[in-house]
């Protein structure tokens, strides 16, 4: 019988969350009376999560294990979930139970109304540090401002997508991925459902500041040229300043005014412009490095074990 619902969870060292995740997903999905599967993508765990996933799959046919050869990152694990999910509707959900499985029926209800992407909006967050809350909030707002795709704010990867949408996403092979941006980019009928983001059931966050920064870079470079255009704006501004400054300095010299005589002025302006140029060289490098990685065309992820069908 064809699968109606696929629940996809990326897992990186979440051993203590797996049994609870499975139990709660099973209870919620059993109540739908539709065929479902739980795709657990093991993103190179080293804490025994892999064995826990294998054991669950042995015990219950609903569990579909996809095991990576190493850690490829959350976004890539989500991608593998899209690839291996067979359902008519695919739900992406964190494995730490911050996204409560009990919200899935609300997402399904909207899908049944005809929406093709139903994303869960964080109305409240529990059990997270003020630093995480502020940086997350800043992240969403900066990305919203800079990128060309209007990615809904306070929305993570927790969402339900119709098969049509998943098939389009599967055809997008970019290496530096920002799944929630990609799913906003494709269009279709989209709607948000508010929910309370719970505290982690067990363990600590697998998203240190460095990973959040990387994600922000993926989001910005993947969906905007703004950092590159900034160099152009800066160039016009400093060239404009120079054009105004030239006659001013000449006139001051002619009338014997003593301004702009010292080396300090020269030194500061050389250092300043040199710095600005190096920064934009770095920005350019960021884009070129990404182009290089894209043209290499390496596989996005490598699986050690995955279902054949
Ligand atoms: N995760 C992953 N690979 C990674 C980091 C995280 O698959 O390299 C998974 C993790 O197991 C969890 C989800 O991504 O299911 C979200 O991670 P986390 O809860 O640590 O992020 P936070 O909620 O703190 O932003
Ligand atoms: Mg989490």
């Amino acid at each position: 019988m064809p699968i109606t619902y696929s629940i996809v969870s990326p897992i990186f060292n979440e051993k203590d969350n797996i049994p609870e995740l499975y139990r709660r997903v099973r209870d919620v999905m059993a109540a739908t009376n539709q065929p479902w599967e739980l795709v657990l993508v093991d993103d190179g765990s080293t804490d025994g999560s892999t064995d826990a996933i294998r054991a669950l799959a042995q015990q219950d046919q609903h569990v579909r294990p996809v095991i990576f050869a190493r850690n490829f990152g959350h976004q890539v694990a989500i991608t593998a979930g899209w690839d291996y999910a067979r359902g008519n509707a695919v739900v992406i959900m964190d494995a730490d139970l911050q996204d409560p499985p009990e919200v899935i029926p609300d997402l399904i209800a909207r899908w049944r109304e005809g929406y093709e992407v139903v994303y869960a909006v964080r109305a409240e967050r529990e059990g997270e540090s003020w630093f995480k809350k502020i940086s997350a909030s800043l992240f969403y707002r900066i990305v919203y401002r800079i990128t060309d795709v209007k990615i809904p704010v306070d929305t993570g990867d927790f969402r339900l997508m119709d098969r049509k949408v998943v098939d389009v996403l599967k055809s997008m092979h970019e290496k530096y991925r920002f799944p929630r941006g990609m799913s906003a980019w494709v269009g279709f009928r989209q709607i948000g459902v508010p929910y309370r983001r719970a505290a982690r059931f067990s363990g600590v966050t697998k998203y240190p500041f460095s990973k959040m920064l990387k994600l922000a870079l993926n989001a910005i470079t993947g969906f905007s040229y703004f950092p590159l255009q900034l160099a152009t704006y800066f160039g016009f501004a400093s060239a404009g300043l120079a054009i105004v400054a030239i006659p001013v300095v000449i006139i001051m010299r002619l009338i014997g005014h003593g301004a702009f005589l010292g080396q300090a002025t020269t030194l500061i302006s050389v250092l300043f412009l040199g710095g600005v140029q190096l920064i934009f060289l770095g920005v350019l490098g960021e884009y070129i490095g990404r182009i290089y990685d894209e043209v290499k065309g390496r596989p996005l992820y490598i699986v050690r074990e995955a279902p054949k069908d």
Side-chain angles (χ1 to χ4, degrees):
M1 196 159 45
I3 307 276
T4 310
Y5 303 117
S6 299
I7 315 298
V8 171
S9 271
I11 291 177
F12 180 52
N13 296 342
E14 307 280 9
K15 181 164 167 279
D16 297 330
N17 290 321
I18 293 172
E20 180 73 3
L21 172 75
Y22 165 72
R23 191 186 62 73
R24 282 170 61 182
V25 168
R26 187 196 55 201
D27 289 353
V28 167
M29 297 318 290
T32 63
N33 288 321
Q34 294 285 328
W36 61 277
E37 63 180 6
L38 174 61
V39 182
L40 295 177
V41 184
D42 175 31
D43 186 13
S45 298
T46 51
D47 69 338
S49 295
T50 317
D51 287 334
I53 294 170
R54 283 199 195 103
L56 265 186
Q58 285 280 328
Q59 176 196 321
D60 185 345
Q61 295 290 316
H62 288 110
V63 178
R64 201 165 153 81
V66 178
I67 296 168
F68 279 2
R70 64 166 168 86
N71 179 258
F72 282 90
H74 180 203
Q75 289 77 39
V76 176
I78 289 178
T79 308
W82 293 340
D83 291 343
Y84 283 94
R86 295 169 297 182
N88 291 329
V90 178
V91 177
I92 306 289
M93 200 175 72
D94 284 357
D96 59 1
L97 294 158
Q98 279 197 282
D99 307 334
E102 293 71 24
V103 177
I104 296 174
D106 300 346
L107 305 181
I108 290 176
R110 288 303 212 169
W111 177 62
R112 292 215 168 277
E113 285 170 18
Y115 290 99
E116 284 127 337
V117 176
V118 187
Y119 50 85
V121 185
R122 299 162 180 177
E124 268 176 71
R125 287 169 162 253
E126 288 169 9
E128 283 178 308
S129 69
W130 62 267
F131 178 73
K132 176 97 191 180
K133 283 184 190 170
I134 290 179
S135 54
S137 166
L138 213 66
F139 167 81
Y140 290 119
R141 275 149 194 90
I142 290 176
V143 168
Y144 188 85
R145 268 296 172 92
I146 296 188
T147 58
D148 307 327
V149 188
K150 288 307 158 215
I151 302 160
V153 296
D154 294 328
T155 304
D157 294 307
F158 186 21
R159 61 189 57 221
L160 177 149
M161 288 181 291
D162 188 83
R163 169 57 39 198
K164 289 196 284 285
V165 180
V166 176
D167 285 343
V168 174
L169 291 171
K170 280 167 74 171
S171 71
M172 294 164 71
H173 298 293
E174 61 225 63
K175 205 125 291 179
Y176 291 91
R177 306 175 80 80
F178 186 53
R180 58 197 91 154
M182 294 164 72
S183 101
W185 181 82
V186 295
F188 290 100
R189 274 163 294 175
Q190 310 215 356
I191 192 146
V193 168
Y195 80 111
R196 281 171 70 111
R197 186 155 165 89
R200 243 179 182 279
F201 181 72
S202 159
V204 292
T205 175
K206 309 299 181 308
Y207 258 91
F209 186 65
S210 59
K211 272 195 193 171
M212 289 213 292
L213 216 57
K214 270 193 192 158
L215 185 65
L217 271 181
N218 287 357
I220 293 167
T221 56
F223 291 93
S224 150
Y225 300 128
F226 180 71
L228 293 173
Q229 289 162 339
L230 218 55
T232 317
Y233 302 147
F234 225 101
F236 274 112
S238 46
L241 196 70
I243 289 170
V244 175
I246 291 167
V248 172
V249 173
I250 291 176
I251 290 167
M252 280 181 159
R253 280 294 174 86
L254 288 180
I255 62 172
H257 197 283
F260 306 116
L261 279 179
Q263 284 181 343
T265 342
T266 324
L267 196 68
I268 288 171
S269 51
V270 166
L271 277 181
F272 178 72
L273 272 185
V276 168
Q277 283 173 349
L278 284 178
I279 289 170
F280 284 116
L281 212 56
V283 171
L284 210 60
E286 198 65 49
Y287 278 86
I288 292 176
R290 280 155 200 268
I291 298 171
Y292 181 52
D293 277 342
E294 296 291 349
V295 296
K296 277 194 281 197
R298 288 186 185 162
L300 270 177
Y301 56 86
I302 302 163
V303 292
R304 193 167 63 205
E305 297 162 43
K308 296 279 179 290
D309 54 329

PDB file of all heavy atoms in Angstrom, residues 19-33:
ATOM      1  N   PRO A  19      14.178   6.643  21.476  1.00  0.00           N
ATOM      2  CA  PRO A  19      13.010   5.857  21.897  1.00  0.00           C
ATOM      3  C   PRO A  19      11.771   6.724  22.109  1.00  0.00           C
ATOM      4  O   PRO A  19      10.666   6.355  21.689  1.00  0.00           O
ATOM      5  CB  PRO A  19      13.454   5.227  23.226  1.00  0.00           C
ATOM      6  CG  PRO A  19      14.936   5.321  23.244  1.00  0.00           C
ATOM      7  CD  PRO A  19      15.302   6.510  22.412  1.00  0.00           C
ATOM      8  N   GLU A  20      11.973   7.902  22.715  1.00  0.00           N
ATOM      9  CA  GLU A  20      10.845   8.800  22.985  1.00  0.00           C
ATOM     10  C   GLU A  20      10.288   9.366  21.671  1.00  0.00           C
ATOM     11  O   GLU A  20       9.072   9.452  21.491  1.00  0.00           O
ATOM     12  CB  GLU A  20      11.338   9.937  23.898  1.00  0.00           C
ATOM     13  CG  GLU A  20      10.290  10.950  24.283  1.00  0.00           C
ATOM     14  CD  GLU A  20       9.278  10.423  25.296  1.00  0.00           C
ATOM     15  OE1 GLU A  20       9.425   9.270  25.752  1.00  0.00           O
ATOM     16  OE2 GLU A  20       8.331  11.169  25.613  1.00  0.00           O
ATOM     17  N   LEU A  21      11.175   9.722  20.766  1.00  0.00           N
ATOM     18  CA  LEU A  21      10.751  10.231  19.455  1.00  0.00           C
ATOM     19  C   LEU A  21       9.892   9.181  18.755  1.00  0.00           C
ATOM     20  O   LEU A  21       8.790   9.471  18.282  1.00  0.00           O
ATOM     21  CB  LEU A  21      11.991  10.544  18.604  1.00  0.00           C
ATOM     22  CG  LEU A  21      11.729  10.902  17.143  1.00  0.00           C
ATOM     23  CD1 LEU A  21      11.168  12.312  17.021  1.00  0.00           C
ATOM     24  CD2 LEU A  21      12.994  10.794  16.295  1.00  0.00           C
ATOM     25  N   TYR A  22      10.394   7.950  18.734  1.00  0.00           N
ATOM     26  CA  TYR A  22       9.673   6.861  18.066  1.00  0.00           C
ATOM     27  C   TYR A  22       8.303   6.656  18.708  1.00  0.00           C
ATOM     28  O   TYR A  22       7.289   6.579  18.017  1.00  0.00           O
ATOM     29  CB  TYR A  22      10.501   5.574  18.139  1.00  0.00           C
ATOM     30  CG  TYR A  22       9.698   4.345  17.819  1.00  0.00           C
ATOM     31  CD1 TYR A  22       9.283   4.092  16.515  1.00  0.00           C
ATOM     32  CD2 TYR A  22       9.327   3.444  18.818  1.00  0.00           C
ATOM     33  CE1 TYR A  22       8.524   2.984  16.214  1.00  0.00           C
ATOM     34  CE2 TYR A  22       8.570   2.334  18.531  1.00  0.00           C
ATOM     35  CZ  TYR A  22       8.156   2.103  17.227  1.00  0.00           C
ATOM     36  OH  TYR A  22       7.396   1.016  16.938  1.00  0.00           O
ATOM     37  N   ARG A  23       8.286   6.618  20.042  1.00  0.00           N
ATOM     38  CA  ARG A  23       7.031   6.354  20.751  1.00  0.00           C
ATOM     39  C   ARG A  23       5.991   7.431  20.441  1.00  0.00           C
ATOM     40  O   ARG A  23       4.847   7.133  20.090  1.00  0.00           O
ATOM     41  CB  ARG A  23       7.306   6.301  22.263  1.00  0.00           C
ATOM     42  CG  ARG A  23       6.152   5.770  23.087  1.00  0.00           C
ATOM     43  CD  ARG A  23       6.448   5.878  24.578  1.00  0.00           C
ATOM     44  NE  ARG A  23       6.641   7.255  25.038  1.00  0.00           N
ATOM     45  CZ  ARG A  23       5.662   8.153  25.173  1.00  0.00           C
ATOM     46  NH1 ARG A  23       4.421   7.821  24.862  1.00  0.00           N
ATOM     47  NH2 ARG A  23       5.922   9.375  25.604  1.00  0.00           N
ATOM     48  N   ARG A  24       6.408   8.679  20.504  1.00  0.00           N
ATOM     49  CA  ARG A  24       5.442   9.766  20.298  1.00  0.00           C
ATOM     50  C   ARG A  24       5.006   9.872  18.842  1.00  0.00           C
ATOM     51  O   ARG A  24       3.820  10.123  18.560  1.00  0.00           O
ATOM     52  CB  ARG A  24       6.010  11.085  20.810  1.00  0.00           C
ATOM     53  CG  ARG A  24       5.897  11.148  22.332  1.00  0.00           C
ATOM     54  CD  ARG A  24       6.636  12.290  22.956  1.00  0.00           C
ATOM     55  NE  ARG A  24       6.174  13.610  22.515  1.00  0.00           N
ATOM     56  CZ  ARG A  24       6.736  14.748  22.927  1.00  0.00           C
ATOM     57  NH1 ARG A  24       7.752  14.703  23.777  1.00  0.00           N
ATOM     58  NH2 ARG A  24       6.291  15.910  22.502  1.00  0.00           N
ATOM     59  N   VAL A  25       5.928   9.656  17.913  1.00  0.00           N
ATOM     60  CA  VAL A  25       5.543   9.686  16.492  1.00  0.00           C
ATOM     61  C   VAL A  25       4.568   8.544  16.204  1.00  0.00           C
ATOM     62  O   VAL A  25       3.547   8.733  15.534  1.00  0.00           O
ATOM     63  CB  VAL A  25       6.791   9.594  15.583  1.00  0.00           C
ATOM     64  CG1 VAL A  25       6.385   9.325  14.140  1.00  0.00           C
ATOM     65  CG2 VAL A  25       7.613  10.863  15.675  1.00  0.00           C
ATOM     66  N   ARG A  26       4.877   7.363  16.747  1.00  0.00           N
ATOM     67  CA  ARG A  26       4.011   6.205  16.510  1.00  0.00           C
ATOM     68  C   ARG A  26       2.599   6.468  17.022  1.00  0.00           C
ATOM     69  O   ARG A  26       1.622   6.228  16.314  1.00  0.00           O
ATOM     70  CB  ARG A  26       4.612   4.977  17.200  1.00  0.00           C
ATOM     71  CG  ARG A  26       3.882   3.675  16.891  1.00  0.00           C
ATOM     72  CD  ARG A  26       4.259   2.600  17.890  1.00  0.00           C
ATOM     73  NE  ARG A  26       4.011   3.065  19.253  1.00  0.00           N
ATOM     74  CZ  ARG A  26       4.596   2.551  20.334  1.00  0.00           C
ATOM     75  NH1 ARG A  26       5.467   1.574  20.220  1.00  0.00           N
ATOM     76  NH2 ARG A  26       4.313   3.034  21.542  1.00  0.00           N
ATOM     77  N   ASP A  27       2.508   6.997  18.236  1.00  0.00           N
ATOM     78  CA  ASP A  27       1.181   7.256  18.804  1.00  0.00           C
ATOM     79  C   ASP A  27       0.392   8.251  17.957  1.00  0.00           C
ATOM     80  O   ASP A  27      -0.791   8.053  17.691  1.00  0.00           O
ATOM     81  CB  ASP A  27       1.306   7.782  20.239  1.00  0.00           C
ATOM     82  CG  ASP A  27       1.773   6.686  21.196  1.00  0.00           C
ATOM     83  OD1 ASP A  27       1.852   5.518  20.737  1.00  0.00           O
ATOM     84  OD2 ASP A  27       2.068   6.996  22.367  1.00  0.00           O
ATOM     85  N   VAL A  28       1.064   9.312  17.542  1.00  0.00           N
ATOM     86  CA  VAL A  28       0.378  10.342  16.759  1.00  0.00           C
ATOM     87  C   VAL A  28      -0.024   9.794  15.391  1.00  0.00           C
ATOM     88  O   VAL A  28      -1.150   9.993  14.923  1.00  0.00           O
ATOM     89  CB  VAL A  28       1.290  11.584  16.587  1.00  0.00           C
ATOM     90  CG1 VAL A  28       0.742  12.518  15.537  1.00  0.00           C
ATOM     91  CG2 VAL A  28       1.458  12.305  17.921  1.00  0.00           C
ATOM     92  N   MET A  29       0.892   9.057  14.747  1.00  0.00           N
ATOM     93  CA  MET A  29       0.636   8.597  13.385  1.00  0.00           C
ATOM     94  C   MET A  29      -0.381   7.463  13.339  1.00  0.00           C
ATOM     95  O   MET A  29      -1.160   7.358  12.405  1.00  0.00           O
ATOM     96  CB  MET A  29       1.938   8.188  12.694  1.00  0.00           C
ATOM     97  CG  MET A  29       2.933   9.325  12.514  1.00  0.00           C
ATOM     98  SD  MET A  29       2.205  10.891  11.995  1.00  0.00           S
ATOM     99  CE  MET A  29       1.729  10.509  10.316  1.00  0.00           C
ATOM    100  N   ALA A  30      -0.363   6.621  14.377  1.00  0.00           N
ATOM    101  CA  ALA A  30      -1.326   5.516  14.419  1.00  0.00           C
ATOM    102  C   ALA A  30      -2.747   6.073  14.416  1.00  0.00           C
ATOM    103  O   ALA A  30      -3.661   5.508  13.805  1.00  0.00           O
ATOM    104  CB  ALA A  30      -1.090   4.649  15.652  1.00  0.00           C
ATOM    105  N   ALA A  31      -2.926   7.221  15.049  1.00  0.00           N
ATOM    106  CA  ALA A  31      -4.260   7.825  15.150  1.00  0.00           C
ATOM    107  C   ALA A  31      -4.753   8.353  13.805  1.00  0.00           C
ATOM    108  O   ALA A  31      -5.949   8.636  13.661  1.00  0.00           O
ATOM    109  CB  ALA A  31      -4.227   8.949  16.180  1.00  0.00           C
ATOM    110  N   THR A  32      -3.866   8.509  12.826  1.00  0.00           N
ATOM    111  CA  THR A  32      -4.314   9.026  11.523  1.00  0.00           C
ATOM    112  C   THR A  32      -4.963   7.934  10.671  1.00  0.00           C
ATOM    113  O   THR A  32      -5.612   8.239   9.667  1.00  0.00           O
ATOM    114  CB  THR A  32      -3.137   9.606  10.705  1.00  0.00           C
ATOM    115  OG1 THR A  32      -2.204   8.545  10.434  1.00  0.00           O
ATOM    116  CG2 THR A  32      -2.428  10.734  11.436  1.00  0.00           C
ATOM    117  N   ASN A  33      -4.732   6.666  11.043  1.00  0.00           N
ATOM    118  CA  ASN A  33      -5.259   5.532  10.275  1.00  0.00           C
ATOM    119  C   ASN A  33      -4.809   5.529   8.817  1.00  0.00           C
ATOM    120  O   ASN A  33      -5.552   5.110   7.930  1.00  0.00           O
ATOM    121  CB  ASN A  33      -6.793   5.507  10.325  1.00  0.00           C
ATOM    122  CG  ASN A  33      -7.280   5.087  11.685  1.00  0.00           C
ATOM    123  OD1 ASN A  33      -6.697   4.190  12.309  1.00  0.00           O
ATOM    124  ND2 ASN A  33      -8.319   5.750  12.183  1.00  0.00           N
TER     125      ASN A  33
END
